[in-house]
């Protein structure tokens, strides 16, 4: 089996404490679980490989206190949690746009800002990055919340 975008069951959301993972990085707006009411489907979403027990969860954009407005504003860094072998690896990623193609009007490249931890006892950094790439190729831009839009996305990696 490979990665697929799907909504998270209530049981898995509790098991992996996804509300608190989201709240750890979301410094503005509503916290979970109240924030789920703003989505059409009131559940968390992730990119999951059930056979291997891996998942990728987007925790949203980091905020900057140093904005022109004086209020916290999102910056171009997104937090993703990759769950592998029972452990969470925190990735902070940025992306930049690339030229559109005939088939893909949305074309961008992911870059790693940080990764913690950088390896697991039985898995190298290179293997973790391979798994992250597999998941991001499926997740694309918005996971299951915008499958139609994701069909127009071409993702590349600078790592």
């Amino acid at each position: 089996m490979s990665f697929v975008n799907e909504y998270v069951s209530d049981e898995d959301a509790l098991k992996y404490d996804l509300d608190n993972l989201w709240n750890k990085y979301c410094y503005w707006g509503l916290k979970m679980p109240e924030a789920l009411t703003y989505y059409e489907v009131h559940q968390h979403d992730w990119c999951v490989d059930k056979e291997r027990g891996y998942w990728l969860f987007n925790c949203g954009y980091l905020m900057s206190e140093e904005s022109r407005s004086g209020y916290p504003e999102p910056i171009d860094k997104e937090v993703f949690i990759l769950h592998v072998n029972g452990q969470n690896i925190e990735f902070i990623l940025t992306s930049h746009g690339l030229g559109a193609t005939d088939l893909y009007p949305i074309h961008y490249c992911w870059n790693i800002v940080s990764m913690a931890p950088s390896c697991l006892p039985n898995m190298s950094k290179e293997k973790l990055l391979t798994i992250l790439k597999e998941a991001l190729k499926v997740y694309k831009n918005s996971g299951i919340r915008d499958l139609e839009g994701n069909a127009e996305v071409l993702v590349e990696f600078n790592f």
Side-chain angles (χ1 to χ4, degrees), residues 126-141:
E126 291 74 26
K127 180 63 177 166
L128 288 171
L129 294 178
T130 299
I131 296 167
L132 176 65
K133 287 177 184 179
E134 288 175 29
L136 286 172
K137 282 180 184 176
V138 173
Y139 181 81
K140 295 197 178 186
N141 194 41

Side-chain angles (χ1 to χ4, degrees), residues 4 19 31 39 62 65 88 102 110 123 146 154 159:
V4 295
D19 282 355
K31 299 290 185 183
Y39 294 112
L62 291 176
E65 297 290 330
N88 291 344
D102 291 339
W110 286 109
M123 192 173 290
D146 187 10
L154 176 62
F159 55 88

Side-chain angles (χ1 to χ4, degrees), residues 93-108:
L93 307 175
T94 63
S95 64
H96 64 276
L98 300 172
T101 70
D102 291 339
L103 294 174
Y104 300 103
I106 303 168
H107 182 194
Y108 62 92

